[in-house]
Amino acid sequence: VGVAYWFLGFRNRGDIIRFMPYPVSGGFLAGLGWLLLKSGFTVSAGKFSLETLFQPELLMFWLPAFLFGLVLFLVQEKIKQTWLTPTLIVLGVAGFYLVMRLPVEELRHAGWLLTLSEPDGLVLFRFPLLEMWNDISWQAILFNVVTAVTLIFTAFISMLLNVNAIEMAVGKDMTPNRELRLAGVANLVAILLGGGIVGYPSAGLTIMAYKRGQPGRLMGLVVSGMFGAALFYGFQYLEYLPKFVIGGLLISLGINFLYEWLIEGFFKFSRTDYLVVLAMFFAVTFFDLLAGVVLGLVLMVIIFVLNYSKTNVIRSVLTGKNFQSNVDRPMKHMEFLRERGEQLLILRLQGYIFFGTAHTIYQYVKDRLEKHEGKPLRFVVIDFTQTYGIDSSAAMIFTKMRRMAEANNISLAF
């Protein structure tokens, strides 16, 4: 994935994201909001399911997280200051210990504090790729090459969606190709230093940081410094944080996304576009994020086809009576053209001709053929000067028109 990221960025393939429809981006962020909300419940209560959500043993854990997240959301909507979130977190942690007044081990045993999987929160700095090079099964890697290709495609789409979401949320342009190259280098460095999952810019974390103030490079340096400290010294200090504080942070951001794209979106999207956002949200809720994006893209393509098919591709309709050449003709010939000119039909087309619009051209000629009013059609000229493309389905429509012309002894000219 690291190599693919760098190569795609080098080849400027990140610009594909510029073709992402706005409702799809909105649906992606709404779905992301649900996943963040769900993650907040999972972190605070240990698991999440609608069937068990209101059981007393779970309710006592997620309810404080939900209330803390709701307070964060409401306060931050009114006061947009960088210092506000850290202050509220400190107050939340301090208030927790003041209210509970129990030893740390008892709180941890009761499930109120974070519990990390590594013993003593220790992370060893090691180079697994070098240490286990001789143990690599190249046959197994080749056997899973299809899975690897699928992963590369999914990672590419996921990264571009996140970059697009960040652009929309913060209102600033990013450079997708540069982000791809940087993510590629970062993934390769991560492999050499210890391995891990695929990494790319996180829309959720970036937007959360941005909405808590106006972050600069300092915030990135502080976050990376904390990771560096954990890499060398372990992360056992995180085990003193109450779960409801971490869960509340995720819930506040989830509420923010849901409010912006499901509630405010109802008033800023057209009804059709809002239904796309809503459909994507439910797809993410019952399936996953990628399924929601695929559904959104399919719906937008269908909507585009339906809307574009309503566009009149016939730019103008002329006949031999009202459109003639600049040749000087005898009065007898001019009189003949005025009398018989309507037997010559000229259709000037425009735009892109595809299956949704080509049928209207065919139907127009067919209607004119049937409603000749004593002046049967003898010539049809189709002018493609102002068109810039045609698909195979539309070409078949014109083939059908040619057969109709031959059957009715009409001369057809393209």
Side-chain angles (χ1 to χ4, degrees):
V1 172
V3 172
Y5 273 168
W6 186 89
F7 179 76
L8 291 168
F10 177 76
R11 297 290 297 174
N12 295 325
R13 293 297 181 262
D15 294 331
I16 293 173
I17 197 62
R18 302 304 179 201
F19 297 96
M20 183 66 66
Y22 184 57
V24 174
S25 299
F28 173 80
L29 286 170
L32 185 61
W34 165 254
L35 294 179
L36 288 167
L37 189 71
K38 183 179 175 181
S39 298
F41 282 104
T42 304
V43 167
S44 55
K47 60 179 179 179
F48 176 84
S49 66
L50 295 176
E51 296 81 10
T52 61
L53 195 61
F54 292 97
Q55 293 179 356
E57 59 271 20
L58 295 180
L59 185 66
M60 62 182 291
F61 287 110
W62 69 256
L63 187 58
F66 178 76
L67 294 175
F68 183 68
L70 188 60
V71 169
L72 276 176
F73 168 72
L74 294 174
V75 172
Q76 288 159 353
E77 283 293 300
K78 299 294 183 182
I79 308 172
K80 297 185 181 295
Q81 295 293 334
T82 308
W83 54 265
L84 183 62
T85 300
T87 302
L88 290 174
I89 291 174
V90 170
L91 290 175
V93 174
F96 169 77
Y97 281 105
L98 287 174
V99 170
M100 300 302 288
R101 294 183 181 181
L102 292 172
V104 172
E105 290 304 320
E106 288 189 26
L107 292 172
R108 182 170 292 115
H109 182 73
W112 288 102
L113 304 179
L114 286 177
T115 303
L116 305 174
S117 57
E118 291 285 345
D120 301 323
L122 181 63
V123 176
L124 297 177
F125 195 91
R126 54 185 181 266
F127 302 92
L129 186 61
L130 298 177
E131 293 171 3
M132 295 182 283
W133 183 264
N134 294 328
D135 298 325
I136 294 176
S137 172
W138 298 104
Q139 184 179 0
I141 292 175
L142 291 174
F143 185 74
N144 287 279
V145 67
V146 176
T147 304
V149 172
T150 305
L151 173 63
I152 289 171
F153 174 77
T154 306
F156 176 64
I157 297 299
S158 299
M159 174 166 177
L160 292 184
L161 286 168
N162 276 267
V163 169
N164 188 61
I166 294 169
E167 282 189 334
M168 288 182 57
V170 305
K172 293 182 179 181
D173 287 339
M174 296 177 69
T175 310
N177 294 311
R178 178 175 177 271
E179 297 299 330
L180 277 168
R181 293 194 298 271
L182 289 174
V185 173
N187 278 280
L188 292 173
V189 171
I191 288 297
L192 295 174
L193 296 182
I197 62 174
V198 174
Y200 45 77
S202 167
L205 294 176
T206 305
I207 295 169
M208 180 172 68
Y210 191 85
K211 287 184 177 292
R212 304 306 176 249
Q214 294 291 330
R217 295 183 184 274
L218 180 61
M219 181 170 289
L221 292 172
V222 170
V223 173
S224 59
M226 293 177 66
F227 278 113
L231 187 65
F232 286 99
Y233 302 107
F235 46 84
Q236 59 270 24
Y237 56 88
L238 294 177
E239 293 189 329
Y240 293 94
L241 287 176
K243 288 181 179 179
F244 83 90
V245 172
I246 307 299
L249 275 171
L250 295 170
I251 288 172
S252 71
L253 185 60
I255 293 174
N256 189 296
F257 283 174
L258 294 175
Y259 178 78
E260 182 176 355
W261 296 104
L262 292 185
I263 297 178
E264 291 184 342
F266 180 79
F267 301 100
K268 65 182 179 182
F269 283 112
S270 67
R271 291 295 166 262
T272 304
D273 289 348
Y274 182 75
L275 287 174
V276 172
V277 174
L278 208 59
M280 288 182 63
F281 170 74
F282 284 115
V284 173
T285 301
F286 293 105
F287 298 100
D288 55 45
L289 201 56
L290 191 59
V293 172
V294 171
L295 176 63
L297 288 172
V298 170
L299 290 175
M300 288 306 299
V301 167
I302 294 172
I303 291 170
F304 170 77
V305 169
L306 292 175
N307 289 337
Y308 196 82
S309 63
K310 297 175 183 177
T311 304
N312 189 6
V313 292
I314 302 176
R315 183 165 169 260
S316 58
V317 180
L318 303 167
T319 66
K321 182 178 180 179
N322 54 30
F323 182 77
Q324 299 163 6
S325 68
N326 294 325
V327 176
D328 290 331
R329 301 181 185 278
M331 288 299 297
K332 184 179 180 181
H333 291 179
M334 296 297 294
E335 186 66 25
F336 180 84
L337 286 173
R338 279 193 291 270
E339 291 178 1
R340 307 281 184 92
E342 291 184 3
Q343 292 181 299
L344 165 62
L345 176 66
I346 304 168
L347 297 180
R348 285 180 168 174
L349 308 183
Q350 64 182 354
Y352 185 81
I353 314 298
F354 76 114
F355 63 90
T357 53
H359 185 73
T360 60
I361 305 167
Y362 173 81
Q363 192 62 43
Y364 188 93
V365 175
K366 185 179 179 182
D367 291 344
R368 172 64 182 81
L369 181 64
E370 294 174 351
K371 300 174 184 177
H372 53 76
E373 297 178 354
K375 297 178 180 178
L377 200 59
R378 291 182 59 193
F379 305 94
V380 175
V381 177
I382 309 293
D383 184 357
F384 291 92
T385 306
Q386 298 297 321
T387 64
Y388 53 85
I390 182 172
D391 71 0
S392 57
S393 299
M396 290 303 298
I397 295 290
F398 286 113
T399 302
K400 185 178 177 181
M401 186 186 296
R402 187 191 67 186
R403 289 196 293 265
M404 179 179 68
E406 291 173 351
N408 290 275
N409 198 27
I410 295 173
S411 297
L412 180 63
F414 292 148

